[in-house]
Amino acid sequence: MCPDRNNSSLAIGTTTGYRLFSLSSVEQLDQVHESNEIPDVYIVERLFSSSLVVVVSHAKPQQMNVYHFKKGTEICNYSYSSKILSIRLNRQRLVVCLEESIYIHNIKDMKLLKTILDTPPNTTGLCALSINHANSYLAYPGSATSGEIALYDGNTLKTACTIPAHDGPLAALAFNSTGSKLASASEKGTVIRVFSIPGGQKLYEFRRGMKRYVNISSLVFSMDSQFLCASSNTETVHIFKLEHLTDSRPEEPPTWSGYMGKMFQAATNYLPAQVSGMMSQDRAFATVRLNISGQRNICALSTIQKLPRLLVTTSDGHLYIYNLDPQDGGECVLIKNHSLLGSGKMEENKENDLQPPVPQSYAATVARQSTVPSTSTMPGYSEDGGALRGEVIPEHEFATGPVCLDDENEFPPIILCRGAQPGKAKRS
């Protein structure tokens, strides 16, 4: 279960197949497509809001199937030497991750461009691919025993650098929308770090907690890269704000809390460097208390109806939508709960409709223009096969030789999906 690459739609694998949803508003969750052709789907990845869907099932865990779901046709399929653990894609590359190897395909014609062999054992298929096709960096564990990140340039097909991110093995990786920042967490789950790309310099360090180790299941940036969300197997979701504090901040009014803050800051000068550094690290800007614990969940930060929202999908088939106050943070407010496993039209949990609507004044203060161009309205990628509402798509939104999924000339031409050489991925 995962949001798509621009957080406007949702894809879930089920025991009977897979489902695709589109989230146009807080109240409206539309089922775009449902397929029951392949049972026990555990990987389903949709290329933004296009008709291209990549599916892997437990019935054939070594085979990747690529579909044009609107036409109900299979574009091609490839088989690999072992179980497929994860798939990542953008408009330029499709990446298939196995336990000890990674395959990079050109998404334009599905040709295999590169096989990265003998990668450190990666039992969870952890990897991240930048959604910015002009900056197609791939990150994956560079070690099975330490938190080293291997950074690979998916366009030039060359290793960019290695980043010594954590002491322990990695548990989560995520790029921001432009591919200029990379967030990481280790298996301890106490510290989250953000690095510059491709240089690998540490930019931010956030402490999720000091009391207990947790399994970070989801790391995600907001589209404008101002926020970073982390969820785990606990009931708390943390949202951090990426900002630099300077000495030019206005003087705080003389309050008891302000006085204690200054005393605390002064006290850190007399503490060991390791302790004072830990205490001065940024804490969560906003949090969410889920009513469930122990379930795997995946989060996304999105702008819906001009307001920032936190989306949380859980393994029991629910989508929770929260309001995020980008100015003051604090506890996020649950405003909607959608069921993803209802039959036919989506069934919704009406209990959460009791939350009062957000005042217009709040909308006016928090509504912002995204600094990243929209990725859901590309002609040939959009649901209606053309630009929505007459929007003009900038040239930089297109990959070289863009994939036109709604043309009669099918993508990719089946004749280009030739069998691979021995030892590499092969089309069955």
Side-chain angles (χ1 to χ4, degrees), residues 311-358:
L311 313 180
V312 182
T313 55
T314 58
S315 57
D316 64 351
H318 284 86
L319 168 64
Y320 299 92
I321 303 178
Y322 296 84
N323 271 348
L324 167 63
D325 186 337
Q327 303 299 331
D328 299 323
E331 186 75 15
C332 297
V333 178
L334 176 65
I335 57 173
K336 194 67 180 179
N337 175 4
H338 292 280
S339 171
L340 301 175
L341 300 178
S343 58
K345 263 188 124 175
M346 295 325 308
E347 299 174 2
E348 299 173 1
N349 186 339
K350 299 297 182 181
E351 294 179 3
N352 295 308
D353 293 344
L354 300 178
Q355 294 289 348
V358 182

mmCIF file of all heavy atoms in Angstrom, residues 311-358:
data_model
loop_
_atom_site.group_PDB
_atom_site.id
_atom_site.type_symbol
_atom_site.label_atom_id
_atom_site.label_comp_id
_atom_site.label_asym_id
_atom_site.label_seq_id
_atom_site.Cartn_x
_atom_site.Cartn_y
_atom_site.Cartn_z
ATOM 1 N N LEU A 311 -1.301 12.431 5.150
ATOM 2 C CA LEU A 311 -2.039 11.225 4.814
ATOM 3 C C LEU A 311 -1.342 10.031 5.445
ATOM 4 O O LEU A 311 -0.122 9.883 5.307
ATOM 5 C CB LEU A 311 -2.112 11.039 3.294
ATOM 6 C CG LEU A 311 -2.505 12.254 2.444
ATOM 7 C CD1 LEU A 311 -2.527 11.875 0.977
ATOM 8 C CD2 LEU A 311 -3.856 12.802 2.875
ATOM 9 N N VAL A 312 -2.093 9.186 6.113
ATOM 10 C CA VAL A 312 -1.538 7.982 6.727
ATOM 11 C C VAL A 312 -2.356 6.785 6.256
ATOM 12 O O VAL A 312 -3.562 6.715 6.506
ATOM 13 C CB VAL A 312 -1.577 8.050 8.270
ATOM 14 C CG1 VAL A 312 -0.955 6.793 8.873
ATOM 15 C CG2 VAL A 312 -0.846 9.292 8.776
ATOM 16 N N THR A 313 -1.714 5.847 5.554
ATOM 17 C CA THR A 313 -2.379 4.609 5.162
ATOM 18 C C THR A 313 -1.848 3.488 6.038
ATOM 19 O O THR A 313 -0.645 3.388 6.279
ATOM 20 C CB THR A 313 -2.116 4.268 3.684
ATOM 21 O OG1 THR A 313 -0.699 4.228 3.453
ATOM 22 C CG2 THR A 313 -2.732 5.302 2.775
ATOM 23 N N THR A 314 -2.750 2.645 6.521
ATOM 24 C CA THR A 314 -2.373 1.570 7.428
ATOM 25 C C THR A 314 -2.597 0.216 6.772
ATOM 26 O O THR A 314 -3.376 0.083 5.824
ATOM 27 C CB THR A 314 -3.198 1.645 8.732
ATOM 28 O OG1 THR A 314 -4.595 1.573 8.405
ATOM 29 C CG2 THR A 314 -2.919 2.958 9.458
ATOM 30 N N SER A 315 -1.925 -0.795 7.287
ATOM 31 C CA SER A 315 -1.976 -2.124 6.684
ATOM 32 C C SER A 315 -3.336 -2.787 6.829
ATOM 33 O O SER A 315 -3.606 -3.790 6.169
ATOM 34 C CB SER A 315 -0.898 -3.020 7.302
ATOM 35 O OG SER A 315 -1.047 -3.090 8.709
ATOM 36 N N ASP A 316 -4.220 -2.235 7.663
ATOM 37 C CA ASP A 316 -5.565 -2.801 7.782
ATOM 38 C C ASP A 316 -6.536 -2.171 6.782
ATOM 39 O O ASP A 316 -7.736 -2.442 6.820
ATOM 40 C CB ASP A 316 -6.101 -2.666 9.209
ATOM 41 C CG ASP A 316 -6.276 -1.219 9.638
ATOM 42 O OD1 ASP A 316 -5.816 -0.317 8.899
ATOM 43 O OD2 ASP A 316 -6.874 -0.981 10.701
ATOM 44 N N GLY A 317 -6.020 -1.327 5.872
ATOM 45 C CA GLY A 317 -6.846 -0.827 4.784
ATOM 46 C C GLY A 317 -7.574 0.472 5.053
ATOM 47 O O GLY A 317 -8.685 0.667 4.562
ATOM 48 N N HIS A 318 -6.968 1.390 5.802
ATOM 49 C CA HIS A 318 -7.594 2.685 6.061
ATOM 50 C C HIS A 318 -6.667 3.826 5.642
ATOM 51 O O HIS A 318 -5.442 3.700 5.697
ATOM 52 C CB HIS A 318 -7.959 2.842 7.538
ATOM 53 C CG HIS A 318 -9.174 2.077 7.948
ATOM 54 N ND1 HIS A 318 -9.113 0.757 8.328
ATOM 55 C CD2 HIS A 318 -10.487 2.432 8.012
ATOM 56 C CE1 HIS A 318 -10.344 0.332 8.622
ATOM 57 N NE2 HIS A 318 -11.187 1.324 8.437
ATOM 58 N N LEU A 319 -7.271 4.912 5.233
ATOM 59 C CA LEU A 319 -6.572 6.149 4.921
ATOM 60 C C LEU A 319 -7.056 7.222 5.879
ATOM 61 O O LEU A 319 -8.238 7.562 5.905
ATOM 62 C CB LEU A 319 -6.830 6.582 3.480
ATOM 63 C CG LEU A 319 -6.387 8.002 3.100
ATOM 64 C CD1 LEU A 319 -4.875 8.139 3.202
ATOM 65 C CD2 LEU A 319 -6.870 8.374 1.701
ATOM 66 N N TYR A 320 -6.134 7.758 6.689
ATOM 67 C CA TYR A 320 -6.454 8.821 7.629
ATOM 68 C C TYR A 320 -5.895 10.139 7.094
ATOM 69 O O TYR A 320 -4.750 10.202 6.651
ATOM 70 C CB TYR A 320 -5.849 8.534 9.004
ATOM 71 C CG TYR A 320 -6.345 7.256 9.645
ATOM 72 C CD1 TYR A 320 -5.672 6.051 9.457
ATOM 73 C CD2 TYR A 320 -7.498 7.249 10.432
ATOM 74 C CE1 TYR A 320 -6.124 4.874 10.036
ATOM 75 C CE2 TYR A 320 -7.957 6.079 11.024
ATOM 76 C CZ TYR A 320 -7.267 4.898 10.814
ATOM 77 O OH TYR A 320 -7.718 3.733 11.383
ATOM 78 N N ILE A 321 -6.709 11.177 7.131
ATOM 79 C CA ILE A 321 -6.302 12.494 6.645
ATOM 80 C C ILE A 321 -6.306 13.476 7.821
ATOM 81 O O ILE A 321 -7.312 13.605 8.531
ATOM 82 C CB ILE A 321 -7.232 12.998 5.532
ATOM 83 C CG1 ILE A 321 -7.279 11.987 4.380
ATOM 84 C CG2 ILE A 321 -6.758 14.355 5.014
ATOM 85 C CD1 ILE A 321 -8.212 12.381 3.253
ATOM 86 N N TYR A 322 -5.185 14.165 8.000
ATOM 87 C CA TYR A 322 -5.030 15.113 9.104
ATOM 88 C C TYR A 322 -4.718 16.495 8.549
ATOM 89 O O TYR A 322 -4.067 16.635 7.508
ATOM 90 C CB TYR A 322 -3.874 14.699 10.022
ATOM 91 C CG TYR A 322 -4.066 13.382 10.735
ATOM 92 C CD1 TYR A 322 -3.760 12.183 10.105
ATOM 93 C CD2 TYR A 322 -4.528 13.334 12.046
ATOM 94 C CE1 TYR A 322 -3.920 10.967 10.745
ATOM 95 C CE2 TYR A 322 -4.679 12.131 12.702
ATOM 96 C CZ TYR A 322 -4.383 10.949 12.047
ATOM 97 O OH TYR A 322 -4.540 9.747 12.693
ATOM 98 N N ASN A 323 -5.158 17.510 9.276
ATOM 99 C CA ASN A 323 -4.746 18.880 8.986
ATOM 100 C C ASN A 323 -3.382 19.134 9.617
ATOM 101 O O ASN A 323 -3.135 18.739 10.763
ATOM 102 C CB ASN A 323 -5.750 19.887 9.554
ATOM 103 C CG ASN A 323 -6.854 20.204 8.567
ATOM 104 O OD1 ASN A 323 -6.774 19.870 7.397
ATOM 105 N ND2 ASN A 323 -7.903 20.857 9.042
ATOM 106 N N LEU A 324 -2.504 19.804 8.873
ATOM 107 C CA LEU A 324 -1.191 20.199 9.382
ATOM 108 C C LEU A 324 -1.104 21.712 9.388
ATOM 109 O O LEU A 324 -1.263 22.341 8.338
ATOM 110 C CB LEU A 324 -0.078 19.595 8.511
ATOM 111 C CG LEU A 324 1.336 20.150 8.727
ATOM 112 C CD1 LEU A 324 1.814 19.852 10.144
ATOM 113 C CD2 LEU A 324 2.300 19.568 7.689
ATOM 114 N N ASP A 325 -0.869 22.288 10.554
ATOM 115 C CA ASP A 325 -0.699 23.736 10.659
ATOM 116 C C ASP A 325 0.763 24.068 10.358
ATOM 117 O O ASP A 325 1.651 23.778 11.168
ATOM 118 C CB ASP A 325 -1.061 24.192 12.071
ATOM 119 C CG ASP A 325 -1.041 25.709 12.220
ATOM 120 O OD1 ASP A 325 -0.362 26.372 11.415
ATOM 121 O OD2 ASP A 325 -1.698 26.224 13.145
ATOM 122 N N PRO A 326 1.060 24.669 9.189
ATOM 123 C CA PRO A 326 2.460 24.903 8.814
ATOM 124 C C PRO A 326 3.121 26.044 9.567
ATOM 125 O O PRO A 326 4.330 26.232 9.459
ATOM 126 C CB PRO A 326 2.364 25.209 7.318
ATOM 127 C CG PRO A 326 1.019 25.836 7.158
ATOM 128 C CD PRO A 326 0.124 25.155 8.150
ATOM 129 N N GLN A 327 2.323 26.818 10.309
ATOM 130 C CA GLN A 327 2.894 27.934 11.056
ATOM 131 C C GLN A 327 3.261 27.546 12.484
ATOM 132 O O GLN A 327 4.365 27.808 12.940
ATOM 133 C CB GLN A 327 1.896 29.107 11.082
ATOM 134 C CG GLN A 327 1.472 29.571 9.696
ATOM 135 C CD GLN A 327 2.621 30.078 8.851
ATOM 136 O OE1 GLN A 327 3.601 30.594 9.369
ATOM 137 N NE2 GLN A 327 2.511 29.908 7.545
ATOM 138 N N ASP A 328 2.331 26.901 13.164
ATOM 139 C CA ASP A 328 2.521 26.611 14.586
ATOM 140 C C ASP A 328 2.748 25.138 14.890
ATOM 141 O O ASP A 328 3.148 24.794 16.007
ATOM 142 C CB ASP A 328 1.314 27.104 15.385
ATOM 143 C CG ASP A 328 1.117 28.605 15.249
ATOM 144 O OD1 ASP A 328 2.130 29.324 15.195
ATOM 145 O OD2 ASP A 328 -0.043 29.056 15.194
ATOM 146 N N GLY A 329 2.484 24.254 13.933
ATOM 147 C CA GLY A 329 2.700 22.834 14.171
ATOM 148 C C GLY A 329 1.779 22.295 15.251
ATOM 149 O O GLY A 329 0.583 22.565 15.266
ATOM 150 N N GLY A 330 2.351 21.538 16.169
ATOM 151 C CA GLY A 330 1.559 20.959 17.261
ATOM 152 C C GLY A 330 0.875 19.672 16.839
ATOM 153 O O GLY A 330 1.259 19.013 15.868
ATOM 154 N N GLU A 331 -0.162 19.312 17.586
ATOM 155 C CA GLU A 331 -0.895 18.086 17.316
ATOM 156 C C GLU A 331 -1.780 18.267 16.077
ATOM 157 O O GLU A 331 -2.593 19.183 16.008
ATOM 158 C CB GLU A 331 -1.765 17.721 18.520
ATOM 159 C CG GLU A 331 -2.457 16.374 18.402
ATOM 160 C CD GLU A 331 -1.527 15.192 18.603
ATOM 161 O OE1 GLU A 331 -0.396 15.386 19.113
ATOM 162 O OE2 GLU A 331 -1.930 14.068 18.247
ATOM 163 N N CYS A 332 -1.608 17.373 15.100
ATOM 164 C CA CYS A 332 -2.422 17.428 13.886
ATOM 165 C C CYS A 332 -3.826 16.895 14.169
ATOM 166 O O CYS A 332 -4.009 15.991 14.982
ATOM 167 C CB CYS A 332 -1.777 16.618 12.772
ATOM 168 S SG CYS A 332 -0.162 17.241 12.246
ATOM 169 N N VAL A 333 -4.804 17.466 13.475
ATOM 170 C CA VAL A 333 -6.211 17.144 13.731
ATOM 171 C C VAL A 333 -6.721 16.173 12.672
ATOM 172 O O VAL A 333 -6.599 16.425 11.476
ATOM 173 C CB VAL A 333 -7.072 18.420 13.724
ATOM 174 C CG1 VAL A 333 -8.546 18.077 13.944
ATOM 175 C CG2 VAL A 333 -6.582 19.395 14.794
ATOM 176 N N LEU A 334 -7.292 15.062 13.119
ATOM 177 C CA LEU A 334 -7.890 14.089 12.204
ATOM 178 C C LEU A 334 -9.196 14.659 11.663
ATOM 179 O O LEU A 334 -10.083 15.059 12.415
ATOM 180 C CB LEU A 334 -8.158 12.771 12.937
ATOM 181 C CG LEU A 334 -8.872 11.682 12.127
ATOM 182 C CD1 LEU A 334 -8.005 11.208 10.977
ATOM 183 C CD2 LEU A 334 -9.256 10.516 13.039
ATOM 184 N N ILE A 335 -9.318 14.686 10.320
ATOM 185 C CA ILE A 335 -10.538 15.238 9.725
ATOM 186 C C ILE A 335 -11.295 14.228 8.869
ATOM 187 O O ILE A 335 -12.457 14.451 8.545
ATOM 188 C CB ILE A 335 -10.226 16.491 8.872
ATOM 189 C CG1 ILE A 335 -9.211 16.166 7.781
ATOM 190 C CG2 ILE A 335 -9.757 17.634 9.744
ATOM 191 C CD1 ILE A 335 -8.977 17.305 6.807
ATOM 192 N N LYS A 336 -10.637 13.101 8.502
ATOM 193 C CA LYS A 336 -11.339 12.131 7.678
ATOM 194 C C LYS A 336 -10.677 10.763 7.763
ATOM 195 O O LYS A 336 -9.458 10.666 7.894
ATOM 196 C CB LYS A 336 -11.356 12.587 6.203
ATOM 197 C CG LYS A 336 -12.352 11.829 5.329
ATOM 198 C CD LYS A 336 -13.784 12.127 5.711
ATOM 199 C CE LYS A 336 -14.770 11.386 4.844
ATOM 200 N NZ LYS A 336 -16.167 11.646 5.222
ATOM 201 N N ASN A 337 -11.504 9.719 7.690
ATOM 202 C CA ASN A 337 -11.025 8.343 7.670
ATOM 203 C C ASN A 337 -11.740 7.619 6.538
ATOM 204 O O ASN A 337 -12.957 7.450 6.581
ATOM 205 C CB ASN A 337 -11.300 7.670 9.020
ATOM 206 C CG ASN A 337 -10.930 6.193 9.017
ATOM 207 O OD1 ASN A 337 -10.395 5.670 8.046
ATOM 208 N ND2 ASN A 337 -11.230 5.523 10.114
ATOM 209 N N HIS A 338 -10.991 7.202 5.506
ATOM 210 C CA HIS A 338 -11.558 6.462 4.383
ATOM 211 C C HIS A 338 -11.203 4.984 4.502
ATOM 212 O O HIS A 338 -10.070 4.637 4.861
ATOM 213 C CB HIS A 338 -11.010 6.985 3.052
ATOM 214 C CG HIS A 338 -11.450 8.358 2.693
ATOM 215 N ND1 HIS A 338 -12.681 8.635 2.142
ATOM 216 C CD2 HIS A 338 -10.813 9.551 2.796
ATOM 217 C CE1 HIS A 338 -12.787 9.933 1.915
ATOM 218 N NE2 HIS A 338 -11.670 10.514 2.304
ATOM 219 N N SER A 339 -12.140 4.122 4.162
ATOM 220 C CA SER A 339 -11.867 2.696 4.055
ATOM 221 C C SER A 339 -11.446 2.390 2.627
ATOM 222 O O SER A 339 -12.096 2.798 1.678
ATOM 223 C CB SER A 339 -13.108 1.877 4.424
ATOM 224 O OG SER A 339 -12.903 0.516 4.116
ATOM 225 N N LEU A 340 -10.325 1.658 2.474
ATOM 226 C CA LEU A 340 -9.802 1.339 1.153
ATOM 227 C C LEU A 340 -10.211 -0.045 0.676
ATOM 228 O O LEU A 340 -9.963 -0.401 -0.473
ATOM 229 C CB LEU A 340 -8.270 1.415 1.176
ATOM 230 C CG LEU A 340 -7.669 2.760 1.575
ATOM 231 C CD1 LEU A 340 -6.160 2.642 1.681
ATOM 232 C CD2 LEU A 340 -8.045 3.841 0.578
ATOM 233 N N LEU A 341 -10.828 -0.823 1.537
ATOM 234 C CA LEU A 341 -11.149 -2.200 1.195
ATOM 235 C C LEU A 341 -12.634 -2.445 1.019
ATOM 236 O O LEU A 341 -13.070 -3.589 0.881
ATOM 237 C CB LEU A 341 -10.595 -3.154 2.269
ATOM 238 C CG LEU A 341 -9.087 -3.106 2.456
ATOM 239 C CD1 LEU A 341 -8.652 -4.056 3.564
ATOM 240 C CD2 LEU A 341 -8.359 -3.436 1.154
ATOM 241 N N GLY A 342 -13.447 -1.378 1.040
ATOM 242 C CA GLY A 342 -14.882 -1.537 0.830
ATOM 243 C C GLY A 342 -15.166 -1.993 -0.582
ATOM 244 O O GLY A 342 -14.416 -1.722 -1.512
ATOM 245 N N SER A 343 -16.252 -2.682 -0.783
ATOM 246 C CA SER A 343 -16.611 -3.165 -2.120
ATOM 247 C C SER A 343 -17.347 -2.074 -2.877
ATOM 248 O O SER A 343 -18.127 -1.315 -2.315
ATOM 249 C CB SER A 343 -17.514 -4.398 -2.009
ATOM 250 O OG SER A 343 -18.681 -4.104 -1.273
ATOM 251 N N GLY A 344 -17.088 -2.026 -4.202
ATOM 252 C CA GLY A 344 -17.770 -1.036 -5.042
ATOM 253 C C GLY A 344 -17.327 0.352 -4.691
ATOM 254 O O GLY A 344 -16.156 0.657 -4.585
ATOM 255 N N LYS A 345 -18.316 1.252 -4.431
ATOM 256 C CA LYS A 345 -17.994 2.629 -4.070
ATOM 257 C C LYS A 345 -17.346 2.647 -2.696
ATOM 258 O O LYS A 345 -17.662 1.841 -1.835
ATOM 259 C CB LYS A 345 -19.259 3.474 -4.050
ATOM 260 C CG LYS A 345 -19.454 4.244 -5.343
ATOM 261 C CD LYS A 345 -20.574 5.195 -5.201
ATOM 262 C CE LYS A 345 -20.107 6.596 -5.520
ATOM 263 N NZ LYS A 345 -21.214 7.527 -5.512
ATOM 264 N N MET A 346 -16.487 3.582 -2.498
ATOM 265 C CA MET A 346 -15.739 3.608 -1.262
ATOM 266 C C MET A 346 -16.638 3.857 -0.068
ATOM 267 O O MET A 346 -17.478 4.731 -0.070
ATOM 268 C CB MET A 346 -14.674 4.714 -1.308
ATOM 269 C CG MET A 346 -13.591 4.502 -2.345
ATOM 270 S SD MET A 346 -13.129 2.805 -2.593
ATOM 271 C CE MET A 346 -12.804 2.279 -0.946
ATOM 272 N N GLU A 347 -16.416 3.021 0.966
ATOM 273 C CA GLU A 347 -17.138 3.206 2.213
ATOM 274 C C GLU A 347 -16.317 4.110 3.101
ATOM 275 O O GLU A 347 -15.124 3.955 3.211
ATOM 276 C CB GLU A 347 -17.354 1.851 2.899
ATOM 277 C CG GLU A 347 -18.181 0.884 2.072
ATOM 278 C CD GLU A 347 -18.253 -0.477 2.726
ATOM 279 O OE1 GLU A 347 -17.683 -0.623 3.823
ATOM 280 O OE2 GLU A 347 -18.860 -1.379 2.141
ATOM 281 N N GLU A 348 -16.981 5.037 3.751
ATOM 282 C CA GLU A 348 -16.265 6.000 4.572
ATOM 283 C C GLU A 348 -16.730 5.908 6.008
ATOM 284 O O GLU A 348 -17.878 5.620 6.298
ATOM 285 C CB GLU A 348 -16.486 7.427 4.046
ATOM 286 C CG GLU A 348 -15.980 7.605 2.622
ATOM 287 C CD GLU A 348 -16.367 8.952 2.080
ATOM 288 O OE1 GLU A 348 -16.996 9.721 2.821
ATOM 289 O OE2 GLU A 348 -16.051 9.234 0.917
ATOM 290 N N ASN A 349 -15.816 6.171 6.910
ATOM 291 C CA ASN A 349 -16.120 6.183 8.318
ATOM 292 C C ASN A 349 -16.683 7.547 8.676
ATOM 293 O O ASN A 349 -15.989 8.542 8.689
ATOM 294 C CB ASN A 349 -14.839 5.915 9.126
ATOM 295 C CG ASN A 349 -15.123 5.782 10.603
ATOM 296 O OD1 ASN A 349 -16.147 6.247 11.090
ATOM 297 N ND2 ASN A 349 -14.207 5.128 11.303
ATOM 298 N N LYS A 350 -17.972 7.595 8.956
ATOM 299 C CA LYS A 350 -18.645 8.881 9.171
ATOM 300 C C LYS A 350 -18.385 9.465 10.552
ATOM 301 O O LYS A 350 -18.717 10.606 10.815
ATOM 302 C CB LYS A 350 -20.159 8.707 8.984
ATOM 303 C CG LYS A 350 -20.539 8.245 7.572
ATOM 304 C CD LYS A 350 -20.153 9.263 6.529
ATOM 305 C CE LYS A 350 -20.579 8.831 5.135
ATOM 306 N NZ LYS A 350 -20.196 9.787 4.105
ATOM 307 N N GLU A 351 -17.794 8.651 11.440
ATOM 308 C CA GLU A 351 -17.568 9.158 12.795
ATOM 309 C C GLU A 351 -16.651 10.370 12.792
ATOM 310 O O GLU A 351 -16.788 11.274 13.600
ATOM 311 C CB GLU A 351 -16.947 8.047 13.653
ATOM 312 C CG GLU A 351 -17.904 6.878 13.884
ATOM 313 C CD GLU A 351 -17.245 5.790 14.704
ATOM 314 O OE1 GLU A 351 -16.086 6.002 15.123
ATOM 315 O OE2 GLU A 351 -17.884 4.761 14.932
ATOM 316 N N ASN A 352 -15.726 10.403 11.863
ATOM 317 C CA ASN A 352 -14.760 11.494 11.830
ATOM 318 C C ASN A 352 -15.280 12.725 11.116
ATOM 319 O O ASN A 352 -14.576 13.707 10.974
ATOM 320 C CB ASN A 352 -13.468 11.013 11.172
ATOM 321 C CG ASN A 352 -12.791 9.943 12.006
ATOM 322 O OD1 ASN A 352 -12.564 10.135 13.194
ATOM 323 N ND2 ASN A 352 -12.512 8.808 11.398
ATOM 324 N N ASP A 353 -16.518 12.647 10.604
ATOM 325 C CA ASP A 353 -17.102 13.821 9.964
ATOM 326 C C ASP A 353 -17.536 14.865 10.988
ATOM 327 O O ASP A 353 -17.991 15.937 10.631
ATOM 328 C CB ASP A 353 -18.326 13.422 9.129
ATOM 329 C CG ASP A 353 -17.918 12.569 7.942
ATOM 330 O OD1 ASP A 353 -16.712 12.566 7.636
ATOM 331 O OD2 ASP A 353 -18.793 11.931 7.337
ATOM 332 N N LEU A 354 -17.402 14.553 12.271
ATOM 333 C CA LEU A 354 -17.840 15.483 13.302
ATOM 334 C C LEU A 354 -16.856 16.616 13.511
ATOM 335 O O LEU A 354 -17.177 17.593 14.172
ATOM 336 C CB LEU A 354 -18.031 14.721 14.628
ATOM 337 C CG LEU A 354 -19.073 13.587 14.584
ATOM 338 C CD1 LEU A 354 -19.121 12.880 15.933
ATOM 339 C CD2 LEU A 354 -20.451 14.137 14.226
ATOM 340 N N GLN A 355 -15.643 16.474 12.944
ATOM 341 C CA GLN A 355 -14.665 17.544 13.087
ATOM 342 C C GLN A 355 -15.174 18.793 12.377
ATOM 343 O O GLN A 355 -15.650 18.729 11.246
ATOM 344 C CB GLN A 355 -13.326 17.118 12.488
ATOM 345 C CG GLN A 355 -12.667 15.964 13.229
ATOM 346 C CD GLN A 355 -12.160 16.386 14.580
ATOM 347 O OE1 GLN A 355 -12.093 17.584 14.876
ATOM 348 N NE2 GLN A 355 -11.828 15.430 15.416
ATOM 349 N N PRO A 356 -15.090 19.969 13.016
ATOM 350 C CA PRO A 356 -15.567 21.189 12.370
ATOM 351 C C PRO A 356 -14.721 21.548 11.170
ATOM 352 O O PRO A 356 -13.533 21.242 11.121
ATOM 353 C CB PRO A 356 -15.403 22.253 13.477
ATOM 354 C CG PRO A 356 -14.340 21.701 14.366
ATOM 355 C CD PRO A 356 -14.498 20.216 14.330
ATOM 356 N N PRO A 357 -15.307 22.173 10.147
ATOM 357 C CA PRO A 357 -14.538 22.576 8.976
ATOM 358 C C PRO A 357 -13.509 23.633 9.330
ATOM 359 O O PRO A 357 -13.674 24.394 10.278
ATOM 360 C CB PRO A 357 -15.611 23.143 8.025
ATOM 361 C CG PRO A 357 -16.743 23.546 8.917
ATOM 362 C CD PRO A 357 -16.735 22.560 10.056
ATOM 363 N N VAL A 358 -12.440 23.666 8.566
ATOM 364 C CA VAL A 358 -11.386 24.644 8.810
ATOM 365 C C VAL A 358 -11.870 26.021 8.407
ATOM 366 O O VAL A 358 -12.384 26.210 7.313
ATOM 367 C CB VAL A 358 -10.127 24.275 7.993
ATOM 368 C CG1 VAL A 358 -9.012 25.259 8.280
ATOM 369 C CG2 VAL A 358 -9.694 22.865 8.326
#
